[in-house]
Amino acid sequence: MEQRISLITLGVHDMGQAAAFYEALGWKRADSPDGVIAFDLISQTLGLYPLAALAEDIGLPLEALGTGAMTLSHNTRSAEEVAELLAKAEAAGAKVLRPAGEVFWGGTIGYFRAPDNHIWEIAHNPFSPLSDEGAFRWNGYGS
């Protein structure tokens, strides 16, 4: 298995509400078949899929999916962008769980819960600069 994630699929209860939220953040949909909403990212795709259909695909009852303890993270180019993006997410219907603030390792982070209940971290890591196109790598891309 090559070291990459190609598709992140979020099971959501309301496809329209979930899609409208990500579109309000400025994301653009990719063409996709009925029943799936996709947003192409840098080297991955984020897919929205009905939660009940996801449970059926996996072969588990809906209640067995649980919520899992994970976050989706979006890194920004500046510390200021963290608060700006949290405000944009809140205006689009998210609940801010932790406002933007400095953390012990020298970066700036904040968290929000999207209307579909997935938790996002917005972060600026001064030690991991993004590529010109916005790609993230653990130790950064440097100048």
Side-chain angles (χ1 to χ4, degrees):
M1 183 167 145
E2 294 179 34
Q3 191 167 306
R4 77 169 167 281
I5 295 174
S6 305
L7 174 65
I8 300 164
T9 301
L10 302 180
V12 300
H13 287 288
D14 186 325
M15 295 280 284
Q17 179 189 43
F21 174 75
Y22 293 105
E23 289 169 338
L25 295 180
W27 290 21
K28 308 284 185 242
R29 288 190 200 196
D31 289 335
S32 59
D34 287 343
V36 177
I37 296 172
F39 298 92
D40 283 334
L41 311 174
I42 299 170
S43 78
Q44 292 111 5
T45 296
L46 180 79
L48 304 177
Y49 196 61
L51 190 58
L54 181 61
E56 183 179 327
D57 282 354
I58 295 169
L60 291 173
L62 182 60
E63 59 277 1
L65 291 184
T67 56
M70 67 167 274
T71 61
L72 300 163
S73 297
H74 174 85
N75 279 57
T76 63
R77 296 181 188 280
S78 71
E80 297 76 25
E81 283 181 88
V82 175
E84 293 168 6
L85 194 48
L86 288 170
K88 189 171 189 176
E90 187 172 39
K95 178 181 180 188
V96 174
L97 302 173
R98 177 180 176 169
E102 294 181 7
V103 289
F104 71 94
W105 50 264
T108 302
I109 66 167
Y111 289 91
F112 69 80
R113 182 185 303 275
D116 55 27
N117 287 320
H118 293 96
I119 297 175
W120 284 81
E121 174 191 35
I122 306 301
H124 173 253
N125 184 337
F127 309 108
S128 297
L130 302 177
S131 73
D132 289 343
E133 67 178 358
F136 175 83
R137 188 167 57 190
W138 190 253
N139 291 311
Y141 281 87
S143 299

